[in-house]
């Protein structure tokens, strides 16, 4: 089965989070374990390509087209020297993608024209696939940015099966009703949008209307998404399509505590106690935290935004940092309000708080390896790869019971035999602080923490497990043919 995988990210080259990790891992796991062949297509980000010194070759020139007043040409490039089993194609349209960031400006604000550039990207994908006669058997889109591409491909290839994975349904690619005709969308897609959306059209809805199947990143998130979208056009389509919840996996090669030639001291489940101690010391040294062995380290590798509960995290942990009862390491970009708060707190407790304002792979490895806990008071968490990566390193999650966290974190206080983390009962500063306090007290027990760390490190959260479930969905769709 030859599949086209439409995405906006590909780790480690073009990535801001879980989408990039899954785009690198899921197609590869399906190809190696289930006999598929995936080509990836995503935008060409000129500044990232240049910064990383990547090599590409131009394979197709697309004609100029106008979207919402911007007339632009595009070229399709094949990325050279990558590790993916199939081809990776990059749609180059500098008028739309030569930006400081992938999704946001240097103030971390979403680009105002994000839906329009998503529409142009979608037209380019379909135009290229038709011009080059790519001959795919299945299309796998991801999130609202794939909506225009899926709509165009449905129009051009009516019998081509399509699946949409929703990584985060909070982001919908909203459209204005007065701009629909300027988006270069096919007439059939516009008719469906007007029929189903009323005054709330979006590229996520366009993707759903073009899809034959929908998946999300966990069974728990299926329930959350259906509840949050009930009474909307998106919710009505989702209910009719019965989404499948499949928990994503972890790249066990990338996230391997036993790997050598990394900034971490290698360890495995049998040596977790010593490994955590040595890596804590290295983490403290690297980030210039006070070298104290008996103070737990809380490590968080994540975007610091409202949906992640980052405001609750900082307010709940601030007293612990000031009282020198815990150290906190944060790795990831933050929105404006939280940046200001972090700046003030860093000046007050520099030996107990470290902040890296971007994703840094080497610091992330060291953070997971050297931390005792990771705290995830998320308001929304479709899957939550962070807790699964933390398990690989024997780092225990303190998490809200939402979405994929509800599916993957068992509270050790409730179930000491199978538990591997701590669940926060509600979204409040008091609940986060109380749960972290209980987790810190639990860490002082003599033997139980090491036993639990050993157990979670041996769990299977690999992409091979995830790919097996996706292969079943592919098989159901593949019989339709193009």
């Amino acid at each position: 089965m030859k599949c086209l995988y439409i995405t906006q990210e590909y780790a480690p080259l073009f990535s801001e989070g879980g989408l990039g990790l899954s785009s690198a891992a899921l197609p590869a796991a399906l190809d190696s374990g289930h006999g598929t062949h995936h080509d990836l297509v995503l935008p060409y980000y000129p500044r990232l390509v240049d910064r990383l010194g990547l090599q590409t070759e131009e394979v197709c020139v697309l004609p100029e087209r106008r979207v919402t007043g911007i007339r632009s040409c595009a070229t399709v490039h094949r990325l050279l020297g990558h590790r993916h089993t199939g081809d990776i194609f990059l749609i180059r349209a500098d008028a739309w993608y030569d930006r400081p960031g992938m999704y946001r400006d240097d103030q971390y604000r979403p680009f105002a024209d994000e839906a329009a550039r998503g529409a142009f990207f979608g037209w380019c994908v379909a135009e290229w696939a038709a011009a080059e006669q790519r001959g795919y058997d299945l299309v796998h889109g991801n999130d609202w940015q794939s909506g225009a591409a899926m709509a165009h491909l449905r129009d051009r290839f009516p019998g081509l099966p399509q699946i949409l994975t929703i990584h985060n349904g909070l982001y919908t690619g909203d459209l204005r009703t007065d701009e629909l005709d300027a988006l270069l969308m096919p007439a059939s897609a516009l008719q469906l949008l007007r029929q189903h959306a009323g005054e709330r059209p979006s590229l996520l809805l366009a993707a759903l209307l073009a899809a034959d199947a929908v998946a999300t990143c966990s069974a728990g998130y299926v329930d959350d998404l259906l509840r949050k979208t009930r009474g909307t056009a998106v919710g009505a389509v989702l209910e009719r399509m019965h989404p499948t919840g499949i928990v994503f996996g972890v790249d066990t090669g990338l996230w391997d505590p036993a790997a050598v030639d990394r900034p971490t001291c290698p360890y495995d489940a049998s040596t977790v106690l010593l490994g955590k101690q040595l890596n804590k010391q290295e983490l403290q040294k690297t980030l210039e935290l006070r070298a104290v062995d008996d103070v737990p380290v809380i490590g968080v590798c994540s975007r610091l935004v409202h949906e992640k509960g980052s405001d609750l995290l900082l307010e709940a942990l601030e007293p612990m940092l000031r009282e020198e009862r815990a150290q906190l390491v944060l790795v990831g970009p933050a929105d404006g309000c939280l940046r200001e708060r972090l700046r003030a707190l860093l000046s007050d407790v520099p030996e107990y708080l470290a902040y890296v304002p971007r994703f840094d792979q080497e610091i992330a490895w060291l953070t997971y390896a050297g931390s005792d806990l990771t705290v995830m008071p998320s308001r929304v968490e479709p899957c939550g790869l962070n807790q699964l990566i933390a398990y690989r390193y024997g780092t225990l999650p303190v998490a809200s019971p939402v979405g994929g966290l509800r599916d993957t974190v068992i509270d050790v206080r409730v179930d000491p035999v199978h538990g591997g983390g701590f669940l926060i009962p509600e979204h409040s500063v008091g609940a986060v602080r109380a749960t972290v306090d209980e987790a810190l007290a639990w860490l002082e027990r003599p033997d139980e923490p090491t036993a639990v760390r050993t157990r979670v490190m041996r769990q299977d959260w690999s992409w091979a497990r995830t790919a097996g479930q996706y292969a079943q969905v592919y098989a159901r769709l593949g019989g339709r043919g193009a």
Side-chain angles (χ1 to χ4, degrees):
M1 179 183 289
K2 188 177 179 182
C3 307
L4 178 63
Y5 196 88
I6 307 170
T7 181
Q8 298 292 298
E9 301 184 25
Y10 177 78
L13 305 177
F14 318 107
S15 183
E16 283 203 359
L19 176 58
L21 295 172
S22 62
S23 297
L26 178 57
L30 282 160
D31 289 357
S32 63
H34 300 277
T36 57
H37 174 94
H38 280 82
D39 289 339
L40 274 62
V41 61
L42 63 155
Y44 185 117
Y45 302 102
R47 301 187 191 194
L48 289 176
V49 171
D50 292 345
R51 184 189 309 160
L52 297 169
L54 302 178
Q55 299 297 312
T56 68
E57 62 177 3
E58 185 179 294
V59 297
C60 184
V61 178
L62 302 177
E64 280 192 342
R65 286 293 184 273
R66 182 184 297 275
V67 172
T68 61
I70 296 179
R71 190 169 186 85
S72 173
C73 60
T75 52
V76 184
H77 295 245
R78 180 184 286 110
L79 181 65
L80 305 177
H82 57 79
R83 65 181 185 179
H84 179 58
T85 51
D87 283 324
I88 298 178
F89 295 99
L90 308 177
I91 305 291
R92 180 161 194 173
D94 290 0
W96 296 103
Y97 286 98
D98 189 8
R99 309 278 176 91
M102 293 172 62
Y103 304 111
R104 299 169 184 260
D105 63 20
D106 51 11
Q107 297 299 312
Y108 208 59
R109 295 171 300 204
F111 295 125
D113 60 354
E114 60 180 5
R117 72 178 193 155
F120 184 78
F121 170 75
W123 175 83
C124 290
V125 170
E127 183 73 10
W128 158 72
E132 296 287 297
Q133 298 182 345
R134 299 299 302 175
Y136 292 105
D137 303 305
L138 183 140
V139 170
H140 190 152
N142 292 272
D143 278 344
W144 69 263
Q145 292 94 340
S146 296
M150 295 178 69
H152 281 286
L153 290 167
R154 171 62 69 217
D155 185 66
R156 290 173 181 252
F157 309 101
L160 179 60
Q162 300 197 73
I163 177 175
L164 173 71
T165 293
I166 299 177
H167 299 256
N168 192 334
L170 277 182
Y171 302 100
T172 56
D174 290 343
L175 306 171
R176 299 200 320 265
T177 54
D178 61 354
E179 73 176 1
L180 290 180
D181 291 328
L183 291 176
L184 211 62
M185 298 274 281
S188 57
L190 292 179
Q191 181 179 352
L192 284 173
L193 274 177
R194 290 188 170 104
Q195 176 184 338
H196 289 271
E199 298 300 312
R200 298 291 300 275
S202 69
L203 289 178
L204 177 60
L205 181 58
L208 288 169
L209 293 170
D212 300 290
V214 181
T216 71
C217 311
S218 66
Y221 189 57
V222 171
D223 296 336
D224 290 354
L225 190 58
L226 288 172
R227 185 175 62 254
K228 288 180 180 297
T229 59
R230 188 168 294 128
T232 69
V234 165
V237 178
L238 281 172
E239 286 185 11
R240 186 175 72 243
M241 297 189 74
H242 304 291
T244 301
I246 302 174
V247 173
F248 275 1
V250 173
D251 185 332
T252 55
L254 179 63
W255 302 106
D256 180 7
V260 297
D261 299 326
R262 291 182 180 177
T264 51
C265 301
Y267 65 98
D268 58 22
S270 66
T271 58
V272 60
L273 180 59
L274 177 61
K276 300 294 284 184
Q277 291 171 345
L278 294 175
N279 282 292
K280 178 188 288 187
Q281 293 168 6
E282 187 62 28
L283 179 64
Q284 291 169 331
K285 177 182 177 182
T286 300
L287 296 182
E288 300 180 348
L289 296 171
R290 183 177 295 180
V292 283
D293 290 335
D294 59 345
V295 173
V297 174
I298 297 168
V300 179
C301 297
S302 169
R303 293 178 298 116
L304 301 178
V305 293
H306 182 265
E307 72 188 69
K308 298 289 185 181
S310 304
D311 53 324
L312 303 178
L313 171 74
L314 288 181
E315 190 170 345
L317 298 191
E318 181 175 343
M320 301 178 191
L321 305 183
R322 295 188 182 280
E323 295 161 9
E324 301 183 356
R325 294 194 293 117
Q327 292 176 324
L328 176 62
V329 175
L330 301 171
V331 182
D335 68 21
C337 295
L338 290 174
R339 278 202 308 273
E340 293 301 316
R341 189 170 193 167
L342 275 170
R343 189 176 293 115
L345 192 54
L346 278 165
S347 66
D348 291 344
V349 289
E351 293 186 310
Y352 284 81
L353 172 64
Y355 175 49
V356 179
R358 66 195 178 284
F359 180 78
D360 182 298
Q361 183 63 69
E362 293 200 346
I363 297 298
W365 281 327
L366 197 53
T367 299
Y368 282 113
S371 297
D372 298 285
L373 303 171
T374 189
V375 181
M376 304 175 65
S378 304
R379 294 179 171 91
V380 178
E381 199 64 71
C383 177
L385 292 181
N386 294 338
Q387 82 279 12
L388 305 183
I389 295 169
Y391 286 149
R392 294 278 298 161
Y393 289 83
T395 299
L396 307 183
V398 179
S400 301
V402 298
L405 298 176
R406 188 164 66 245
D407 294 344
T408 59
V409 178
I410 299 174
D411 198 313
V412 71
R413 297 166 298 180
V414 177
D415 187 348
V417 176
H418 303 99
F422 305 84
L423 291 175
I424 304 166
E426 63 180 37
H427 293 111
S428 70
V429 172
V432 174
R433 185 177 297 155
T435 308
V436 173
D437 269 328
E438 288 191 35
L440 295 179
W442 181 88
L443 287 174
E444 296 177 1
R445 297 185 183 184
D447 300 314
E448 192 173 355
T450 300
V452 173
R453 293 188 198 282
T454 300
R455 181 167 68 234
V456 299
M457 288 182 74
R458 289 173 173 159
Q459 294 175 348
D460 178 15
W461 295 108
S462 68
W463 279 104
R465 174 193 51 79
T466 305
Q469 296 178 60
Y470 263 98
Q472 295 177 23
V473 180
Y474 276 24
R476 291 199 300 269
L477 295 177
R480 288 186 52 192

